[in-house]
Each structure stands twice: as structure tokens, then as C-alpha cells.
């Protein structure tokens, strides 16, 4: 399908450095202490590290669960109230169990011992118990274990999925719960669960997303977030308040991740607006706010320590690291040398799509585009997955790699994306492949209209998961693109509903209905049906260990491509789950994509840097 000597291979070093950069995932400050524990990932492995003054030590080596899988902002590991231990969900031969590690000696203790996924451990105020979420009884059960591992009991095992447990001073737990049939970013509740398992609703409303309960120190009140106003806003409620009081709300901005300071007077929160995730503080009494960040970036999990706010922070040229946002100091992190000099600063544009919907998009342009001739730069559209996600001012090695190759890249936050309010997030419910596809296809013209150097007639498209689905839809339902690359996408929803995990199944039910009554929705949303109309070459890539979207989805797509005589290539990676993380696989996958676009969008490095192709390296 392509030659290996059409692209500038020197930029492969950029891809390798960026894809394997160490990235922080979450940070938690020691109660009444100076130490920090944080999670750091590299390729497939995430571990806990302890920051103690100028000393940094690795606490785990077998891997921990510490990734931001949803918007709920749960704490994935936790300090003992006296700093004696850290609780975390760690790997063993049977899966992920609750463990503790002594920060001084590194000694580890296994707290739970069953063959089920455990996560989100939280020490009780006295340190004697650990609350956690587990699949041992049913998915998303709420349980409590003795910190020494001698006792485990379930508090709630019912028709709800529980998440983000937080103890109050009375020994009860605040938590988020979502019906098994729902998605947590569409309809969730905040509840209080007493030690005997009784449930008290704190906030619940039809089709409203409520999350992030944060008990106020030395108080009966709790802060939380819900989106009944149309955007995520911060509220405070308690026994002396007849209704939750809105503390922080702003049209066009989604707030989240509230975190109390030690006095209970001030909250730190994230604020997401037009792709920028900043951090603000807000006084509970006066409502006065302060923004702690200035340049656009991506920040999450704010935490207080001695009056300062710490968070994981990234920007377009810096991988996620732990920063003191109050002082601007980098606390942990080691960006690859010279990476900021090799990356471009992205911008953003907005454009009108069908039905008058305004779409925000991130844009990455190659160096020198301002001086380039008109229509000299080919374009790539990169729709994100999810679809409940968004592209913003984050560290983005994929877009940067293609910008370094000489492409202009646009990443549209199409309808269904998060970060733009509830109504926008719900706009593609029961309408996948309609308005959202228009938004993605229209992104190509929007990019060319915004920049004179961009050629509207040389366009490619690539994406993973929901973006892979969008790629195949765009090739089959339009003739806008000259080539495409689809990573681990859903291509036949009818069979996907049989093979996916619980999260994927709930997503299907929410977005498409039930197969018994709404099977036509599943069939109409399936890109595999449009394969006969695909004319452009298509590269299909998938990990063989993918549980969310099994490799059988790509195998079905390839079978149809073969059946109809289409130009395609299929590449699998035996040791990758849903998303490619290993250095050698990232390099192989994205250099294949670059070669594809170099051939079909006419990129020539013209400097002798590309390597000759080997015999048999073409199709």
C-alpha cells in the first residue's frame, strides 16, 4: 500500500521520545505532612513514587491502577491519616487487589484476596479500615476492608455501580452511584452510605450527572458537582441547607475535581473551557475566585498542601508532571531533552457545521506554514475517541508527529464531545454517524479556509476507538478524504454488543437503545455497512489484547474490505490492549500511517533522509 522511503524518517526520533516520555497520572499529599505520593506511567507500566524533600523513591514495581478513565476524578490511591501507609490497587497474578505499602520501608501488605477488580481505596479517618470499589460481588460494589486484611465486607451490592468513596468525620461514606444500565457521564447520583449500608440520597435528578462528593473538613457539609444547569457547576449542601447552594457556575465552562483546603474555607477546582483546563480557587463564604494558571494547558487532580495547590499539569510541549500551581514550580517530571524546541504550539479555531452547530477544534501546523505557498500543505483530520472526550491543549505526540512530517492537523471537538456542556455532549445520542460525522468532515474545509497554505484537495483522516469508527464512516459515506487509518475501532455494533466489556455494553445501550427493540439503530450506526462505497485506501490497526473493542471488530471490517476488493492493509499487535503504548508498537503503527499519507497525499522529504524500502515492503 505504501513505500517506506517517502517520508522524513528523522522525525521518528521525535515520535519515540514523546511516546515514551514519563507521565504523571495523579498526586496525593500526605495529611499533615510534607511528602507527596504520585503515580507515574511509562509505556504499559504505572507505579507509585514518593517525593520526600529532594528525595524521590519508587514504591511499587508490579504496576498500579492510577489512570483517569472517566470524568469522575476519583482518587486511585490514598494516604493513611497518620502517614503510616499508602493504599493502592495493585497488580498480582489474579488481577487488581487492594494493597498497602509502608512509605519508609517499602513493605507491602495485600488487603483483599479475591479474583476481582478492586479500585479507589480510601482510608477511614482513624486509619483502621479501607473503603474501596470492587467487582467481587457485582460490578461496582461498595465494600470495606480492615486495613490489616483480616476482614472484608460489602456495604452495597445492588442495581447501581458505585465510585469515588469519601469518608466523612462520622464514619459514613459519600459516593457516586450510577444504574448499571446508565453511563456515569449521563446520569449519576451522589449518596451517603452509613457504616451499616443504609443509603441517604444527597442529590439525584433525572438525566443529570452528579459526581465528586467532597466532605467539608470539620463540618457536616459536602461539596459536589452536577450539570442540571447545562454545565458542570460546584454546589455545597448539608443539614442546615434546604437546597444545595450553587458555589461556582459559568456558562460555557465545566467545573470539576473540587478539593478542600485544610481549613474547609476554600476549594480548588478544574475549569474546562474551549480546550483549556485551568485551575481556580473559590472561597466558600465569599465566592471570591482566583485563577492559578495562565497559559492554556491540561490540569487535573488538584490537591492542597500547606496552603498551596498541587496538580498534574501538562501543556502542548510538556508531558504531564506534578506542579505546584501556587508557585509555578515543577515538583516532579523529566521532559525529554529539547522536546519543546521540536514541538509546535497548537492553536484553535471554531467553525459552523450542519444545523448551525458551532464546533471548536485544535489545529497543529508545520513549521514555516506562514511562508509556504498557497495550497502547499496537505491536511489531516484526527477525530478523538469516546465519543465523550475532547481535544485541547494537552501533550499530544500523535498530532505533533504529523505536523513535523509536514501535515496540517485538525482535531475537531464534534458534537458528543465533553467539556462543552450537557446539551452538546448529548447531541449524538441515537444519531451516531449523522451530525457528528458532518462535524468531522467539515473540519477539513474549515482548516483550509482558515490557513492559506493548507490544500483542501489533499486530505487524510485517522483516529482510534470512536475515532476509528469515524474514520471508516467518513471514507464510506463521503468522498472527502484520499486515505484513512483506523485504530481499534467499532465497525459492527450488532456483534460488538456481544463481545465488549461492561463499559462498552452500557455505552451501546445509552447511545443506541436495546437490541431487541432498536436493532436497526445498531445496524445503521455500523460503518461496516458502507464498505462497498469506500474508494480510498484504508490502513486498519488493532491490539490483540483489547477487551473494550475486541480485535474481531477489525477482522470483520477486513473481511468486508477483502470481499469488495478494496485497497487496505491490516496490522495487529499481540501485546496491546485498547490503545497502543509500547515504544516499538507506537513507532511501527504511526510510521505506517505516515507512510500511507506520504504516498497518497504527496509528501516528499526531498533531503535524502528517508531510508530505501526493503524488498516486499510494499503491497
Amino acid at each position: 500500500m505504501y513505500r517506506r522511503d517517502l517520508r522524513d524518517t528523522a522525525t521518528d526520533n521525535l515520535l519515540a521520545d514523546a511516546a515514551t516520555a514519563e507521565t504523571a497520572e495523579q498526586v496525593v499529599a500526605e495529611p499533615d505532612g510534607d511528602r507527596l505520593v504520585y503515580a507515574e506511567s511509562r509505556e504499559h507500566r504505572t507505579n507509585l513514587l514518593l517525593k520526600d524533600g529532594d528525595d524521590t523513591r519508587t514504591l511499587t514495581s508490579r504496576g498500579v491502577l492510577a489512570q483517569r478513565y472517566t470524568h469522575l476524578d476519583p482518587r486511585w490511591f490514598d494516604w493513611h491519616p497518620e502517614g503510616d501507609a499508602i493504599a493502592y490497587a495493585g497488580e498480582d497474578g489474579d488481577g487488581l487487589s487492594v494493597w498497602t505499602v509502608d512509605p519508609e520501608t517499602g513493605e507491602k501488605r495485600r488487603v483483599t484476596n479475591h479474583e476481582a477488580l478492586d479500585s479507589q481505596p480510601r482510608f477511614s479517618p482513624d486509619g483502621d479500615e479501607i473503603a474501596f470499589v470492587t467487582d467481587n460481588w457485582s460490578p461496582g460494589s461498595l465494600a470495606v476492608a480492615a486495613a490489616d486484611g483480616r476482614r472484608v465486607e460489602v456495604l452495597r451490592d445492588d442495581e447501581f455501580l458505585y465510585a469515588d468513596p469519601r469518608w466523612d468525620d462520622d464514619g459514613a461514606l459519600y459516593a457516586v452511584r450510577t444504574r448499571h444500565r446508565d453511563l456515569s457521564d449521563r446520569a449519576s447520583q451522589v449518596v451517603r452510605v452509613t457504616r451499616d449500608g443504609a443509603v441517604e440520597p444527597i442529590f439525584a435528578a433525572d438525566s443529570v450527572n452528579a459526581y465528586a462528593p467532597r466532605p467539608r473538613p470539620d463540618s457536616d457539609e459536602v461539596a459536589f458537582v452536577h450539570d442540571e444547569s447545562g454545565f458542570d457547576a460546584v454546589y455545597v449542601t448539608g443539614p442546615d441547607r434546604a437546597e444545595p447552594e450553587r458555589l461556582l457556575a459559568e456558562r460555557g465552562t465545566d467545573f470539576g475535581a473540587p478539593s478542600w483546603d485544610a481549613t474547609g474555607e476554600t476549594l480548588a477546582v478544574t475549569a474546562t473551557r474551549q480546550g483549556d483546563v485551568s485551575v481556580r480557587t473559590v472561597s466558600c463564604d465569599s465566592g471570591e475566585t482566583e485563577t492559578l494558571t495562565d497559559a492554556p494547558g491540561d490540569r487535573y487532580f488538584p490537591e492542597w498542601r500547606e496552603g498551596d495547590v498541587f496538580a498534574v499539569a501538562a501543556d502542548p510541549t510538556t508531558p504531564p508532571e506534578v506542579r505546584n500551581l501556587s508557585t509555578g514550580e515543577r515538583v516532579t517530571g523529566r521532559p525529554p531533552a529539547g522536546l519543546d524546541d521540536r514541538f509546535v504550539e497548537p492553536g484553535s479555531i471554531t467553525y459552523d457545521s450542519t444545523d448551525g452547530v458551532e464546533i471548536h477544534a485544535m489545529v497543529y501546523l508545520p513549521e514555516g506554514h506562514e511562508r509556504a505557498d498557497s495550497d502547499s500543505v496537505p491536511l489531516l483530520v484526527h477525530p478523538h475517541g469516546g465519543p465523550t472526550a475532547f481535544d485541547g491543549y494537552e501533550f499530544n505526540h500523535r498530532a505533533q508527529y504529523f505536523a513535523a512530517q509536514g501535515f496540517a492537523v485538525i482535531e475537531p471537538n464534534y458534537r458528543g464531545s465533553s467539556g462543552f456542556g450537557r446539551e452538546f455532549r448529548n447531541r449524538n445520542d441515537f444519531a451516531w454517524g449523522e451530525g457528528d460525522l458532518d462535524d468531522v468532515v467539515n473540519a477539513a474545509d474549515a482548516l483550509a479556509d482558515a490557513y492559506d497554505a493548507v490544500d483542501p484537495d489533499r486530505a487524510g483522516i485517522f483516529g482510534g476507538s470512536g475515532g476509528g469508527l469515524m474514520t471508516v464512516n467518513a471514507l464510506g459515506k463521503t468522498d472527502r478524504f484520499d486515505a484513512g487509518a483506523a485504530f481499534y475501532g467499532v465497525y459492527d455494533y450488532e456483534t460488538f454488543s456481544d463481545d465488549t466489556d461492561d463499559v462498552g455494553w452500557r455505552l451501546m445501550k445509552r447511545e443506541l437503545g436495546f437490541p431487541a427493540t432498536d436493532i436497526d439503530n445498531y445496524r445503521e450506526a455500523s460503518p461496516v455497512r458502507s464498505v462497498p462505497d469506500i474508494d480510498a485506501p484504508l490502513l486498519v490497526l488493532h491490539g490483540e489484547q483489547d477487551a473494550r473493542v475486541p480485535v474481531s471488530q477489525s477482522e470483520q471490517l477486513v473481511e468486508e474490505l477483502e470481499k469488495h476488493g478494496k485497497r487496505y492493509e491490516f496490522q495487529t499487535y499481540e501485546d496491546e490492549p485498547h490503545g497502543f503504548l509500547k515504544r516499538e508498537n507506537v513507532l511501527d503503527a504511526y510510521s505506517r500511517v505516515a507512510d500511507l499519507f506520504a504516498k497518497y497525499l504527496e509528501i516528499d522529504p526531498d533531503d535524502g533522509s528517508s531510508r530505501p524500502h526493503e524488498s516486499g515492503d510494499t503491497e
Side-chain angles (χ1 to χ4, degrees):
M1 181 180 286
Y2 48 75
R3 293 176 64 96
R4 288 283 187 173
D5 59 349
L6 292 177
R7 63 180 168 85
D8 180 0
T9 59
T11 57
D12 290 356
N13 293 329
L14 172 71
L15 177 63
D17 289 346
T20 58
E22 296 172 345
T23 61
E25 302 286 352
Q26 191 178 72
V27 60
V28 180
E30 178 186 13
D32 302 320
D34 297 328
R35 296 176 295 181
L36 297 169
V37 63
Y38 66 98
E40 183 178 79
S41 295
R42 183 167 185 175
E43 298 185 69
H44 269 296
R45 182 69 65 179
T46 302
N47 279 303
L48 294 183
L49 286 82
L50 180 73
K51 179 74 173 177
D52 185 2
D54 294 330
D55 181 38
T56 300
R57 302 196 312 275
T58 300
L59 296 177
T60 64
S61 60
R62 298 185 65 182
V64 301
L65 179 64
Q67 279 114 10
R68 193 184 190 201
Y69 288 129
T70 75
H71 71 292
L72 295 176
D73 300 311
R75 181 176 286 184
W76 295 96
F77 47 93
D78 191 41
W79 277 95
H80 186 279
E82 296 179 1
D84 296 337
I86 296 148
Y88 64 97
E91 292 182 8
D92 54 36
D94 298 323
L96 284 158
S97 301
V98 175
W99 294 73
T100 61
V101 57
D102 187 312
E104 294 294 337
T105 67
E107 181 182 356
K108 298 169 182 64
R109 179 198 297 269
R110 183 171 178 172
V111 177
T112 61
N113 190 18
H114 45 240
E115 297 180 7
L117 173 67
D118 299 334
S119 66
Q120 305 170 52
R122 288 283 291 177
F123 276 107
S124 61
D126 60 12
D128 292 340
E129 294 186 310
I130 299 174
F132 63 101
V133 176
T134 179
D135 293 347
N136 188 50
W137 287 270
S138 64
S141 299
L142 181 63
V144 172
D148 60 10
R150 296 182 180 180
R151 170 179 47 83
V152 178
E153 59 183 292
V154 64
L155 293 187
R156 298 300 305 178
D157 170 28
D158 51 34
E159 69 270 27
F160 292 93
L161 299 157
Y162 289 81
D164 197 12
R166 300 274 175 154
W167 295 90
D168 67 12
D169 294 335
D170 296 328
L173 287 161
Y174 288 95
V176 181
R177 71 177 188 179
T178 308
R179 292 188 307 167
H180 280 265
R181 63 179 293 174
D182 291 332
L183 291 173
S184 60
D185 56 4
R186 293 299 203 275
S188 53
Q189 308 169 1
V190 171
V191 297
R192 184 174 183 266
V193 183
T194 60
R195 192 59 187 78
D196 61 2
V199 176
E200 174 192 356
I202 300 301
F203 183 86
D206 290 341
S207 301
V208 173
N209 174 35
Y211 68 101
R214 302 292 183 261
R216 189 175 186 179
D218 302 318
S219 170
D220 293 331
E221 296 189 327
V222 60
F224 68 101
V225 177
H226 73 70
D227 67 353
E228 191 169 29
S229 68
F231 291 87
D232 287 1
V234 181
Y235 294 78
V236 177
T237 191
D240 297 330
R241 299 177 187 263
E243 296 289 339
E245 178 184 347
R246 186 185 299 177
L247 179 61
L248 186 61
E250 183 178 294
R251 183 162 184 81
T253 301
D254 278 340
F255 293 102
S259 175
W260 290 105
D261 70 352
T263 69
E265 296 177 357
T266 307
L267 281 167
V269 300
T270 58
T272 302
R273 185 183 185 92
Q274 296 288 293
D276 174 32
V277 184
S278 60
V279 172
R280 302 186 197 178
T281 61
V282 55
S283 168
C284 190
D285 294 329
S286 68
E288 182 179 353
T289 65
E290 178 185 0
T291 301
L292 301 181
T293 52
D294 45 20
D298 186 25
R299 295 94 179 182
Y300 38 100
F301 299 129
E303 285 271 335
W304 291 86
R305 191 183 76 175
E306 298 180 348
D308 286 347
V309 178
F310 291 70
V312 173
D315 60 48
T317 62
T318 309
E321 59 189 13
V322 178
R323 297 190 72 89
N324 183 333
L325 300 184
S326 300
T327 65
E329 173 191 9
R330 172 185 291 152
V331 179
T332 72
R334 190 172 52 190
L339 198 60
D340 54 347
D341 294 331
R342 294 183 284 167
F343 272 13
V344 299
E345 288 286 347
S348 66
I349 64 172
T350 60
Y351 59 93
D352 290 333
S353 189
T354 54
D355 305 319
V357 177
E358 183 179 82
I359 302 300
H360 170 271
M362 298 300 298
V363 173
Y364 295 76
L365 298 167
E367 291 285 355
H369 72 91
E370 309 93 334
R371 303 179 300 277
D373 294 336
S374 296
D375 299 341
S376 62
V377 177
L379 69 90
L380 301 177
V381 177
H382 180 212
H384 61 70
T388 311
F390 71 94
D391 285 312
Y393 292 88
E394 72 265 25
F395 184 74
N396 187 336
H397 64 270
R398 300 171 183 86
Q400 293 282 4
Y401 173 61
F402 288 109
Q405 289 277 337
F407 297 97
V409 183
I410 184 168
E411 299 184 328
N413 287 311
Y414 53 89
R415 64 194 80 185
S417 301
S418 58
F420 299 87
R422 186 179 64 187
E423 190 273 338
F424 188 85
R425 189 176 65 233
N426 294 346
R427 288 199 83 141
N428 61 353
D429 287 357
F430 296 94
W432 281 16
E434 298 178 15
D436 51 1
L437 178 60
D438 293 339
D439 303 339
V440 169
V441 174
N442 291 338
D445 288 328
L447 182 61
D449 290 343
Y451 301 95
D452 182 65
V454 177
D455 185 354
D457 295 326
R458 290 184 290 155
I461 184 170
F462 73 102
S465 193
L469 174 158
M470 197 71 73
T471 294
V472 179
N473 257 340
L475 295 183
K477 295 183 177 180
T478 78
D479 58 0
R480 184 65 186 84
F481 300 100
D482 302 297
F487 292 68
Y488 40 86
V490 179
Y491 309 118
D492 186 339
Y493 281 113
E494 190 172 0
T495 58
F496 176 67
S497 64
D498 299 326
D499 298 333
T500 185
D501 60 10
D502 186 61
V503 174
W505 172 225
R506 286 187 285 121
L507 179 66
M508 292 303 94
K509 289 188 289 185
R510 168 65 190 187
E511 303 289 354
L512 298 173
F514 287 86
T517 55
D518 304 297
I519 193 63
D520 287 345
N521 292 340
Y522 285 69
R523 292 169 178 165
E524 289 301 321
S526 298
V528 72
R529 294 167 62 91
S530 62
V531 164
D533 297 320
I534 293 177
D535 292 325
L538 175 61
L539 174 60
V540 183
L541 306 106
H542 215 121
E544 295 179 12
Q545 302 302 315
D546 195 336
R548 178 64 44 79
V549 181
V551 69
S552 58
Q553 285 292 303
S554 285
E555 291 170 345
Q556 284 183 259
L557 174 64
V558 166
E559 184 178 347
E560 284 296 303
L561 291 166
E562 180 71 24
K563 174 182 175 181
H564 293 281
K566 304 302 180 179
R567 289 173 294 168
Y568 75 91
E569 180 179 340
F570 183 32
Q571 180 67 32
T572 63
Y573 301 90
E574 63 179 4
D575 51 356
E576 291 286 4
H578 193 59
F580 299 162
L581 297 173
K582 287 193 173 182
R583 180 184 187 275
E584 60 270 24
N585 295 337
V586 172
L587 274 172
D588 184 81
Y590 283 95
S591 63
R592 286 176 184 270
V593 178
D595 289 330
L596 172 76
F597 291 141
K599 175 178 179 180
Y600 289 100
L601 275 63
E602 301 177 18
I603 291 291
D604 184 355
D606 199 33
D607 61 0
S609 62
S610 59
R611 66 183 184 276
H613 72 284
E614 298 178 1
S615 176
D617 203 22
T618 61
E619 289 195 359

